Amino acid sequence: MKLAPTIVILGSLLTAGSIQAKWSRIPIIKEKPINTISGPASNASLDSSSGIGRADSILSSDITASSTVSAGKSFLLINLGKPVLISSSSFVNDGIEGRATLSASADKNGWAVLEEKVFSAADRTVEFKFAGMQAKFVKLELVLSKGGLIRSLQFFGAATDKGYAVKQSADGKGGKPADLINGLGGARVVYAAPRPANGLDTAITYNKFAFPESDEKYRTIIYDFGQLRILNEFASVHSPRPVRFEVFAFDNLPEKEDWRGRMAFDPSDFGNISPVAVAEDTRGTGTLKAKPAKAVKTRYLALRWEPEFNPPDFQCTGSAEGNVTNIVTTNTIIVTNADGTKTVMTVTVGDAHSAGAGDSKLEPENAAQMVAQGEAKSSDTTVITMATYAAGVDPTAPGATPISSTTTTGTSTVTVTTQSDGTVVTTSTSKVVDSTTGTTTTTTITESKAPDGTITTSVNQTSTDAAGNTTTNTTLTNPGGTPTSTTGTNADGNLAGGSTPSPSTVTPGVPASSGGTQISITSP
Protein backbone atom coordinates (compact mmCIF):
# COMPACT_ATOMS: atom_id res chain seq x y z
CA MET A 1 0.00 0.00 0.00
CA LYS A 2 2.99 2.29 0.47
CA LEU A 3 4.33 1.62 -3.04
CA ALA A 4 2.65 4.57 -4.76
CA PRO A 5 4.00 7.22 -2.34
CA THR A 6 7.44 5.66 -2.69
CA ILE A 7 7.25 5.95 -6.48
CA VAL A 8 6.19 9.58 -6.13
CA ILE A 9 9.14 10.31 -3.82
CA LEU A 10 11.58 8.59 -6.19
CA GLY A 11 10.12 10.51 -9.13
CA SER A 12 10.54 13.76 -7.26
CA LEU A 13 14.16 12.93 -6.48
CA LEU A 14 14.83 12.05 -10.11
CA THR A 15 13.25 15.32 -11.26
CA ALA A 16 15.28 17.32 -8.76
CA GLY A 17 18.39 15.47 -9.84
CA SER A 18 17.77 16.24 -13.51
CA ILE A 19 17.27 19.91 -12.74
CA GLN A 20 20.59 20.05 -10.87
CA ALA A 21 22.44 17.83 -13.38
CA LYS A 22 25.75 19.17 -14.62
CA TRP A 23 25.73 21.04 -17.90
CA SER A 24 27.90 19.93 -20.82
CA ARG A 25 30.24 22.52 -22.29
CA ILE A 26 29.41 23.92 -25.72
CA PRO A 27 32.33 23.75 -28.19
CA ILE A 28 33.90 27.13 -28.97
CA ILE A 29 33.00 28.52 -32.39
CA LYS A 30 36.03 30.00 -34.14
CA GLU A 31 34.24 32.62 -36.22
CA LYS A 32 31.23 34.69 -35.23
CA PRO A 33 29.06 36.89 -37.51
CA ILE A 34 29.03 40.58 -36.63
CA ASN A 35 26.18 43.08 -36.96
CA THR A 36 27.12 45.26 -39.92
CA ILE A 37 25.39 48.47 -38.82
CA SER A 38 26.51 49.03 -35.21
CA GLY A 39 29.61 48.91 -33.09
CA PRO A 40 33.03 50.60 -33.21
CA ALA A 41 34.02 48.88 -36.47
CA SER A 42 30.97 49.94 -38.48
CA ASN A 43 30.89 52.72 -41.06
CA ALA A 44 27.08 52.69 -41.23
CA SER A 45 25.12 55.93 -40.89
CA LEU A 46 21.50 57.00 -41.05
CA ASP A 47 20.87 58.46 -44.50
CA SER A 48 17.23 59.48 -44.00
CA SER A 49 13.98 58.48 -42.29
CA SER A 50 10.30 59.38 -42.06
CA GLY A 51 7.67 58.63 -39.42
CA ILE A 52 10.27 57.31 -36.96
CA GLY A 53 11.30 59.05 -33.75
CA ARG A 54 14.83 58.74 -32.33
CA ALA A 55 15.81 57.10 -35.61
CA ASP A 56 19.55 57.33 -34.78
CA SER A 57 18.99 54.87 -31.93
CA ILE A 58 18.59 52.09 -34.47
CA LEU A 59 22.36 52.27 -35.12
CA SER A 60 23.29 52.13 -31.44
CA SER A 61 25.20 49.15 -30.04
CA ASP A 62 23.02 49.58 -26.93
CA ILE A 63 20.54 46.72 -27.40
CA THR A 64 17.92 48.50 -25.24
CA ALA A 65 17.94 51.73 -27.33
CA SER A 66 14.58 52.14 -29.11
CA SER A 67 12.98 54.13 -31.91
CA THR A 68 9.31 55.11 -31.94
CA VAL A 69 7.16 54.24 -34.96
CA SER A 70 3.70 55.66 -35.65
CA ALA A 71 0.81 53.87 -37.34
CA GLY A 72 0.82 54.38 -41.09
CA LYS A 73 3.79 54.51 -43.44
CA SER A 74 7.39 55.05 -42.31
CA PHE A 75 10.91 54.14 -43.43
CA LEU A 76 14.59 54.03 -42.48
CA LEU A 77 17.39 54.37 -45.06
CA ILE A 78 20.86 53.30 -43.91
CA ASN A 79 24.17 53.91 -45.66
CA LEU A 80 26.51 50.99 -44.88
CA GLY A 81 29.55 53.09 -45.80
CA LYS A 82 30.75 50.70 -48.51
CA PRO A 83 29.40 47.65 -50.36
CA VAL A 84 28.83 44.84 -47.87
CA LEU A 85 27.45 41.32 -48.35
CA ILE A 86 24.29 40.79 -46.27
CA SER A 87 22.08 37.70 -46.02
CA SER A 88 19.83 38.16 -42.97
CA SER A 89 18.32 40.86 -40.78
CA SER A 90 16.07 41.23 -37.75
CA PHE A 91 14.66 43.73 -35.27
CA VAL A 92 12.97 43.51 -31.88
CA ASN A 93 9.28 44.46 -31.95
CA ASP A 94 7.63 46.28 -29.06
CA GLY A 95 3.96 46.32 -29.97
CA ILE A 96 3.92 47.35 -33.61
CA GLU A 97 1.74 45.48 -36.10
CA GLY A 98 1.60 45.47 -39.89
CA ARG A 99 3.94 44.84 -42.81
CA ALA A 100 7.71 45.34 -43.15
CA THR A 101 9.61 45.42 -46.44
CA LEU A 102 13.40 45.19 -46.58
CA SER A 103 15.20 46.42 -49.72
CA ALA A 104 18.82 46.95 -50.79
CA SER A 105 20.65 49.05 -53.36
CA ALA A 106 24.16 49.76 -54.58
CA ASP A 107 23.51 53.43 -55.40
CA LYS A 108 20.06 54.45 -54.05
CA ASN A 109 18.68 54.41 -57.59
CA GLY A 110 17.68 50.81 -58.26
CA TRP A 111 16.22 48.87 -55.32
CA ALA A 112 15.85 45.10 -54.89
CA VAL A 113 13.28 43.79 -52.42
CA LEU A 114 15.01 41.28 -50.14
CA GLU A 115 11.95 40.08 -48.22
CA GLU A 116 8.55 41.20 -46.98
CA LYS A 117 7.04 40.23 -43.62
CA VAL A 118 3.55 40.50 -42.15
CA PHE A 119 3.59 40.37 -38.34
CA SER A 120 1.46 41.01 -35.27
CA ALA A 121 2.11 42.90 -32.04
CA ALA A 122 2.72 39.54 -30.34
CA ASP A 123 5.74 38.76 -32.55
CA ARG A 124 8.70 39.74 -30.40
CA THR A 125 11.27 39.37 -33.18
CA VAL A 126 10.79 40.08 -36.87
CA GLU A 127 13.35 38.22 -39.01
CA PHE A 128 14.32 38.46 -42.67
CA LYS A 129 16.31 35.77 -44.45
CA PHE A 130 17.29 36.08 -48.10
CA ALA A 131 19.92 35.19 -50.67
CA GLY A 132 23.16 37.03 -50.02
CA MET A 133 23.42 40.41 -51.74
CA GLN A 134 26.17 43.02 -52.00
CA ALA A 135 24.69 46.37 -51.01
CA LYS A 136 25.77 49.80 -49.84
CA PHE A 137 22.28 51.02 -48.90
CA VAL A 138 19.47 49.20 -47.07
CA LYS A 139 15.91 50.42 -46.53
CA LEU A 140 13.32 49.24 -44.02
CA GLU A 141 9.77 50.30 -44.95
CA LEU A 142 6.88 49.85 -42.50
CA VAL A 143 3.13 50.03 -43.11
CA LEU A 144 1.56 49.71 -39.66
CA SER A 145 -1.95 49.40 -38.29
CA LYS A 146 -0.53 49.86 -34.79
CA GLY A 147 2.47 51.90 -33.68
CA GLY A 148 5.00 51.21 -30.95
CA LEU A 149 8.77 50.72 -30.63
CA ILE A 150 11.48 48.92 -32.56
CA ARG A 151 14.99 48.26 -31.34
CA SER A 152 18.15 46.26 -32.05
CA LEU A 153 18.08 46.32 -35.86
CA GLN A 154 20.75 43.93 -37.14
CA PHE A 155 22.24 42.93 -40.48
CA PHE A 156 24.45 39.86 -40.88
CA GLY A 157 26.38 38.54 -43.84
CA ALA A 158 30.07 38.02 -44.59
CA ALA A 159 31.33 40.24 -41.76
CA THR A 160 32.80 38.20 -38.91
CA ASP A 161 35.15 38.77 -35.98
CA LYS A 162 37.85 36.46 -37.33
CA GLY A 163 41.25 38.12 -37.44
CA TYR A 164 40.38 41.08 -35.20
CA ALA A 165 41.52 41.91 -31.69
CA VAL A 166 39.89 44.39 -29.30
CA LYS A 167 42.10 46.41 -26.97
CA GLN A 168 41.19 47.92 -23.59
CA SER A 169 43.21 50.22 -21.37
CA ALA A 170 44.66 48.85 -18.14
CA ASP A 171 41.96 50.56 -16.05
CA GLY A 172 39.14 50.06 -18.56
CA LYS A 173 38.40 53.79 -18.66
CA GLY A 174 40.03 54.72 -21.97
CA GLY A 175 38.32 54.66 -25.35
CA LYS A 176 34.60 54.43 -26.09
CA PRO A 177 31.83 52.13 -24.79
CA ALA A 178 31.19 48.99 -26.83
CA ASP A 179 29.11 45.84 -26.43
CA LEU A 180 31.70 43.10 -25.89
CA ILE A 181 29.17 40.24 -26.14
CA ASN A 182 27.50 41.13 -29.44
CA GLY A 183 30.55 42.70 -31.06
CA LEU A 184 34.27 42.12 -31.32
CA GLY A 185 34.94 41.34 -27.66
CA GLY A 186 35.74 37.69 -28.36
CA ALA A 187 32.78 36.44 -26.29
CA ARG A 188 31.79 32.83 -26.89
CA VAL A 189 28.91 30.93 -25.30
CA VAL A 190 30.20 27.92 -23.37
CA TYR A 191 27.01 26.96 -21.47
CA ALA A 192 23.30 27.59 -22.08
CA ALA A 193 20.54 26.02 -19.98
CA PRO A 194 17.98 24.82 -20.65
CA ARG A 195 18.80 23.89 -24.24
CA PRO A 196 17.60 26.68 -26.59
CA ALA A 197 14.41 25.93 -28.50
CA ASN A 198 15.59 27.88 -31.56
CA GLY A 199 18.54 25.53 -32.05
CA LEU A 200 21.87 25.64 -30.27
CA ASP A 201 23.86 26.67 -33.36
CA THR A 202 21.59 29.62 -34.16
CA ALA A 203 21.40 30.75 -30.54
CA ILE A 204 25.14 30.83 -29.85
CA THR A 205 26.07 32.23 -33.27
CA TYR A 206 23.74 35.24 -33.12
CA ASN A 207 23.36 35.48 -29.32
CA LYS A 208 19.58 35.23 -29.60
CA PHE A 209 18.08 32.66 -27.26
CA ALA A 210 14.56 31.27 -27.24
CA PHE A 211 14.32 29.04 -24.17
CA PRO A 212 11.54 26.42 -24.03
CA GLU A 213 9.09 25.76 -21.22
CA SER A 214 11.07 24.23 -18.39
CA ASP A 215 10.91 23.25 -14.74
CA GLU A 216 14.18 25.14 -14.21
CA LYS A 217 13.92 28.36 -12.24
CA TYR A 218 16.48 30.23 -14.35
CA ARG A 219 17.47 30.72 -17.97
CA THR A 220 21.27 30.87 -17.98
CA ILE A 221 24.02 31.75 -20.46
CA ILE A 222 27.74 31.58 -19.61
CA TYR A 223 30.30 33.39 -21.79
CA ASP A 224 34.07 33.02 -22.12
CA PHE A 225 35.69 36.23 -23.44
CA GLY A 226 38.92 34.36 -24.10
CA GLN A 227 40.89 36.80 -21.92
CA LEU A 228 40.30 39.25 -19.08
CA ARG A 229 37.85 42.04 -19.88
CA ILE A 230 36.71 45.08 -17.88
CA LEU A 231 32.92 45.51 -18.00
CA ASN A 232 30.93 48.52 -16.83
CA GLU A 233 27.27 47.78 -17.53
CA PHE A 234 24.98 44.87 -18.47
CA ALA A 235 21.71 44.93 -20.40
CA SER A 236 18.91 42.60 -21.41
CA VAL A 237 16.20 42.54 -24.05
CA HIS A 238 13.73 39.78 -23.26
CA SER A 239 10.12 38.65 -23.50
CA PRO A 240 7.82 41.36 -22.05
CA ARG A 241 7.06 39.89 -18.64
CA PRO A 242 8.41 40.52 -15.11
CA VAL A 243 11.99 39.27 -14.87
CA ARG A 244 14.81 39.27 -12.33
CA PHE A 245 18.21 39.59 -14.03
CA GLU A 246 21.46 38.55 -12.35
CA VAL A 247 25.07 38.80 -13.53
CA PHE A 248 27.86 36.59 -12.18
CA ALA A 249 31.61 36.81 -12.79
CA PHE A 250 34.01 33.91 -12.35
CA ASP A 251 37.75 34.49 -11.95
CA ASN A 252 38.21 30.98 -13.30
CA LEU A 253 35.26 28.85 -14.35
CA PRO A 254 34.80 25.88 -11.93
CA GLU A 255 34.56 23.14 -14.55
CA LYS A 256 35.28 19.45 -14.18
CA GLU A 257 35.39 16.50 -16.54
CA ASP A 258 32.25 14.37 -16.58
CA TRP A 259 32.14 10.59 -16.96
CA ARG A 260 32.56 10.97 -20.74
CA GLY A 261 35.71 13.05 -20.37
CA ARG A 262 33.94 16.26 -21.40
CA MET A 263 34.10 19.51 -19.45
CA ALA A 264 30.98 20.18 -17.40
CA PHE A 265 29.62 22.89 -15.11
CA ASP A 266 27.61 22.30 -11.96
CA PRO A 267 24.86 24.98 -11.62
CA SER A 268 24.99 24.59 -7.84
CA ASP A 269 28.25 26.58 -8.02
CA PHE A 270 26.14 29.72 -8.39
CA GLY A 271 25.30 29.26 -4.73
CA ASN A 272 28.96 29.81 -3.80
CA ILE A 273 29.25 33.36 -5.16
CA SER A 274 27.19 36.55 -5.18
CA PRO A 275 26.07 38.32 -8.34
CA VAL A 276 28.10 41.36 -9.39
CA ALA A 277 24.95 43.10 -10.66
CA VAL A 278 21.19 42.61 -10.23
CA ALA A 279 18.20 44.32 -11.85
CA GLU A 280 14.45 43.67 -12.02
CA ASP A 281 11.95 44.39 -14.75
CA THR A 282 8.95 44.55 -12.42
CA ARG A 283 6.52 45.93 -15.02
CA GLY A 284 7.40 43.47 -17.76
CA THR A 285 8.63 46.10 -20.22
CA GLY A 286 11.04 43.62 -21.82
CA THR A 287 14.27 45.57 -21.26
CA LEU A 288 16.54 46.44 -18.35
CA LYS A 289 20.06 47.47 -17.43
CA ALA A 290 22.20 46.41 -14.49
CA LYS A 291 25.05 48.57 -13.21
CA PRO A 292 27.69 46.95 -10.97
CA ALA A 293 28.93 48.75 -7.88
CA LYS A 294 32.38 48.86 -9.51
CA ALA A 295 33.80 47.81 -12.86
CA VAL A 296 33.94 44.03 -13.28
CA LYS A 297 37.21 42.41 -14.38
CA THR A 298 36.60 38.87 -15.55
CA ARG A 299 37.11 36.34 -18.30
CA TYR A 300 33.95 34.32 -17.58
CA LEU A 301 30.54 35.96 -17.32
CA ALA A 302 27.14 34.41 -16.57
CA LEU A 303 23.77 36.05 -17.28
CA ARG A 304 20.69 34.59 -15.56
CA TRP A 305 17.03 35.40 -16.11
CA GLU A 306 14.30 34.43 -13.63
CA PRO A 307 10.89 34.92 -15.28
CA GLU A 308 8.06 35.55 -12.82
CA PHE A 309 6.18 32.56 -14.19
CA ASN A 310 7.13 29.66 -16.43
CA PRO A 311 6.39 30.79 -19.99
CA PRO A 312 6.11 28.38 -22.90
CA ASP A 313 8.79 30.39 -24.69
CA PHE A 314 11.22 32.91 -23.25
CA GLN A 315 13.37 34.98 -25.59
CA CYS A 316 16.38 36.92 -24.42
CA THR A 317 19.54 38.68 -25.56
CA GLY A 318 22.18 40.01 -23.19
CA SER A 319 25.01 42.49 -23.54
CA ALA A 320 28.06 43.58 -21.58
CA GLU A 321 29.49 47.05 -22.12
CA GLY A 322 33.18 47.88 -21.77
CA ASN A 323 35.36 50.70 -23.07
CA VAL A 324 37.40 49.87 -26.18
CA THR A 325 40.54 51.82 -27.07
CA ASN A 326 41.30 50.16 -30.40
CA ILE A 327 40.45 47.38 -32.81
CA VAL A 328 43.49 45.75 -34.42
CA THR A 329 43.53 43.65 -37.56
CA THR A 330 46.18 42.26 -39.88
CA ASN A 331 48.94 44.79 -40.60
CA THR A 332 51.26 44.42 -43.62
CA ILE A 333 53.97 46.88 -44.62
CA ILE A 334 56.48 46.64 -47.47
CA VAL A 335 59.81 48.46 -47.02
CA THR A 336 62.15 48.96 -49.99
CA ASN A 337 65.68 48.92 -48.60
CA ALA A 338 68.63 51.03 -49.84
CA ASP A 339 70.08 48.07 -51.79
CA GLY A 340 66.79 47.52 -53.63
CA THR A 341 65.67 44.48 -51.64
CA LYS A 342 62.22 44.55 -50.07
CA THR A 343 61.33 43.62 -46.50
CA VAL A 344 57.75 42.60 -45.80
CA MET A 345 56.46 42.48 -42.22
CA THR A 346 53.03 40.96 -41.62
CA VAL A 347 51.27 40.77 -38.26
CA THR A 348 48.30 38.41 -38.57
CA VAL A 349 45.88 38.56 -35.65
CA GLY A 350 44.81 35.10 -34.49
CA ASP A 351 41.27 33.84 -34.03
CA ALA A 352 39.07 36.44 -32.30
CA HIS A 353 38.60 34.27 -29.19
CA SER A 354 41.50 35.47 -26.96
CA ALA A 355 43.25 37.18 -29.88
CA GLY A 356 45.57 39.91 -28.68
CA ALA A 357 45.84 38.43 -25.19
CA GLY A 358 49.61 38.23 -25.58
CA ASP A 359 49.92 42.00 -25.25
CA SER A 360 46.80 42.74 -23.22
CA LYS A 361 47.14 45.66 -20.82
CA LEU A 362 44.72 44.12 -18.31
CA GLU A 363 46.59 42.67 -15.35
CA PRO A 364 45.24 39.78 -13.21
CA GLU A 365 44.31 40.70 -9.65
CA ASN A 366 44.48 37.24 -8.10
CA ALA A 367 45.79 33.74 -8.74
CA ALA A 368 42.61 32.51 -10.46
CA GLN A 369 42.61 35.44 -12.90
CA MET A 370 46.31 34.82 -13.50
CA VAL A 371 45.53 31.25 -14.56
CA ALA A 372 42.69 32.40 -16.82
CA GLN A 373 44.81 35.09 -18.48
CA GLY A 374 47.79 32.73 -18.77
CA GLU A 375 45.65 30.25 -20.68
CA ALA A 376 44.51 33.04 -22.99
CA LYS A 377 48.06 34.19 -23.73
CA SER A 378 49.28 30.65 -24.39
CA SER A 379 46.47 30.06 -26.87
CA ASP A 380 46.93 33.37 -28.72
CA THR A 381 47.73 32.48 -32.34
CA THR A 382 48.84 35.92 -33.54
CA VAL A 383 51.66 35.39 -36.08
CA ILE A 384 54.46 37.77 -37.12
CA THR A 385 56.32 37.08 -40.36
CA MET A 386 59.44 38.93 -41.62
CA ALA A 387 60.39 38.17 -45.23
CA THR A 388 63.07 39.67 -47.50
CA TYR A 389 62.74 39.66 -51.30
CA ALA A 390 65.47 40.23 -53.90
CA ALA A 391 65.73 43.55 -55.73
CA GLY A 392 63.29 43.74 -58.61
CA VAL A 393 60.91 41.12 -57.13
CA ASP A 394 57.31 42.18 -56.46
CA PRO A 395 56.38 40.60 -53.09
CA THR A 396 52.68 40.84 -53.94
CA ALA A 397 53.00 38.91 -57.20
CA PRO A 398 51.69 35.32 -57.23
CA GLY A 399 54.48 32.83 -56.58
CA ALA A 400 56.95 35.45 -55.32
CA THR A 401 59.58 33.68 -53.19
CA PRO A 402 61.54 35.48 -50.44
CA ILE A 403 65.30 35.22 -49.98
CA SER A 404 64.71 34.64 -46.28
CA SER A 405 61.74 34.46 -43.97
CA THR A 406 61.22 34.09 -40.23
CA THR A 407 57.99 33.54 -38.34
CA THR A 408 57.12 33.79 -34.67
CA THR A 409 53.91 33.72 -32.67
CA GLY A 410 52.37 36.08 -30.16
CA THR A 411 55.16 38.63 -29.62
CA SER A 412 53.68 41.75 -31.21
CA THR A 413 52.31 44.84 -29.54
CA VAL A 414 50.08 47.50 -31.08
CA THR A 415 49.20 50.80 -29.42
CA VAL A 416 47.03 53.65 -30.69
CA THR A 417 46.93 57.18 -29.29
CA THR A 418 45.05 60.28 -30.39
CA GLN A 419 46.86 63.60 -30.05
CA SER A 420 45.21 66.88 -29.11
CA ASP A 421 45.09 68.01 -32.75
CA GLY A 422 43.22 64.85 -33.77
CA THR A 423 46.25 63.03 -35.23
CA VAL A 424 45.98 59.28 -34.67
CA VAL A 425 49.32 57.57 -33.99
CA THR A 426 49.51 53.78 -34.39
CA THR A 427 52.66 51.99 -33.23
CA SER A 428 53.23 48.31 -34.02
CA THR A 429 56.24 46.50 -32.56
CA SER A 430 57.33 42.93 -33.24
CA LYS A 431 60.30 40.78 -32.29
CA VAL A 432 61.57 37.92 -34.42
CA VAL A 433 64.27 35.56 -33.13
CA ASP A 434 66.41 33.57 -35.56
CA SER A 435 66.57 30.13 -33.98
CA THR A 436 69.86 29.35 -35.79
CA THR A 437 71.96 32.43 -34.99
CA GLY A 438 70.10 33.76 -31.96
CA THR A 439 69.77 37.18 -33.62
CA THR A 440 66.73 39.20 -32.53
CA THR A 441 65.21 41.65 -35.00
CA THR A 442 62.89 44.27 -33.53
CA THR A 443 60.71 46.20 -35.98
CA THR A 444 58.70 49.23 -34.90
CA ILE A 445 56.28 50.83 -37.34
CA THR A 446 54.85 54.21 -36.41
CA GLU A 447 52.04 55.62 -38.53
CA SER A 448 50.59 59.10 -37.90
CA LYS A 449 47.34 59.99 -39.67
CA ALA A 450 46.48 63.69 -39.53
CA PRO A 451 42.85 64.94 -39.61
CA ASP A 452 43.35 65.95 -43.28
CA GLY A 453 44.25 62.35 -44.20
CA THR A 454 48.01 62.92 -44.53
CA ILE A 455 49.93 59.85 -43.40
CA THR A 456 53.47 59.89 -42.03
CA THR A 457 55.16 56.51 -41.60
CA SER A 458 58.47 55.55 -39.98
CA VAL A 459 59.96 52.10 -39.70
CA ASN A 460 62.79 51.31 -37.29
CA GLN A 461 64.60 47.97 -37.44
CA THR A 462 67.12 46.97 -34.80
CA SER A 463 69.05 43.70 -34.74
CA THR A 464 70.93 42.33 -31.76
CA ASP A 465 73.11 39.26 -31.68
CA ALA A 466 72.85 36.39 -29.19
CA ALA A 467 75.01 38.34 -26.72
CA GLY A 468 72.68 41.33 -26.85
CA ASN A 469 74.96 43.58 -28.93
CA THR A 470 73.27 45.82 -31.48
CA THR A 471 74.41 44.90 -35.01
CA THR A 472 72.17 47.13 -37.15
CA ASN A 473 69.82 50.02 -36.52
CA THR A 474 67.98 51.46 -39.51
CA THR A 475 65.20 54.03 -39.60
CA LEU A 476 63.06 54.79 -42.64
CA THR A 477 60.83 57.85 -42.42
CA ASN A 478 58.13 59.26 -44.65
CA PRO A 479 57.95 63.06 -44.26
CA GLY A 480 54.31 63.54 -45.18
CA GLY A 481 53.63 61.40 -48.22
CA THR A 482 50.19 59.91 -48.76
CA PRO A 483 50.29 56.16 -49.50
CA THR A 484 47.55 54.86 -51.74
CA SER A 485 46.58 52.19 -49.22
CA THR A 486 46.55 52.01 -45.44
CA THR A 487 48.16 49.53 -43.08
CA GLY A 488 44.86 48.36 -41.61
CA THR A 489 46.01 48.57 -37.99
CA ASN A 490 42.96 50.64 -37.07
CA ALA A 491 39.35 49.50 -37.15
CA ASP A 492 38.34 48.34 -40.62
CA GLY A 493 34.78 49.61 -41.07
CA ASN A 494 32.21 46.87 -41.64
CA LEU A 495 35.05 44.36 -41.28
CA ALA A 496 34.84 43.20 -44.92
CA GLY A 497 34.32 39.63 -43.78
CA GLY A 498 37.69 39.47 -42.09
CA SER A 499 39.62 40.31 -45.26
CA THR A 500 43.23 41.47 -45.09
CA PRO A 501 43.78 45.15 -45.98
CA SER A 502 46.17 46.03 -48.81
CA PRO A 503 49.77 46.54 -47.65
CA SER A 504 51.37 49.95 -47.23
CA THR A 505 54.50 50.58 -49.25
CA VAL A 506 57.50 52.55 -48.00
CA THR A 507 59.89 53.30 -50.89
CA PRO A 508 63.09 55.38 -50.49
CA GLY A 509 63.69 58.14 -53.01
CA VAL A 510 60.28 58.14 -54.72
CA PRO A 511 58.81 61.66 -54.80
CA ALA A 512 55.33 62.11 -53.36
CA SER A 513 54.17 63.65 -56.65
CA SER A 514 54.64 60.29 -58.37
CA GLY A 515 52.10 58.67 -56.05
CA GLY A 516 54.76 57.01 -53.93
CA THR A 517 56.31 58.16 -50.65
CA GLN A 518 59.52 60.06 -50.03
CA ILE A 519 61.90 58.37 -47.63
CA SER A 520 65.17 59.33 -45.99
CA ILE A 521 67.40 56.62 -44.53
CA THR A 522 69.50 57.13 -41.43
CA SER A 523 71.94 54.54 -40.07
CA PRO A 524 74.24 55.10 -37.07
Side-chain angles (χ1 to χ4, degrees), residues 295-329:
V296 176
K297 181 184 289 189
T298 187
R299 174 176 169 178
Y300 303 96
L301 189 78
L303 305 182
R304 305 194 88 185
W305 289 263
E306 182 186 353
E308 188 174 82
F309 58 91
N310 195 11
D313 176 68
F314 182 76
Q315 300 180 33
C316 60
T317 298
S319 78
E321 182 184 283
N323 280 18
V324 171
T325 58
N326 186 37
I327 298 175
V328 181
T329 182

Side-chain angles (χ1 to χ4, degrees), residues 42 101 126 142 151 171 184 207 213-214 286 309 459 505 519 524:
S42 175
T101 304
V126 178
L142 300 170
R151 68 181 88 239
D171 59 3
L184 296 175
N207 195 41
E213 184 173 2
S214 171
F309 58 91
V459 182
T505 55
I519 302 297

Side-chain angles (χ1 to χ4, degrees), residues 435-454:
S435 57
T436 303
T437 64
T439 299
T440 300
T441 301
T442 302
T443 302
T444 301
I445 301 171
T446 303
E447 179 183 85
S448 299
K449 185 173 183 180
D452 64 359
T454 301

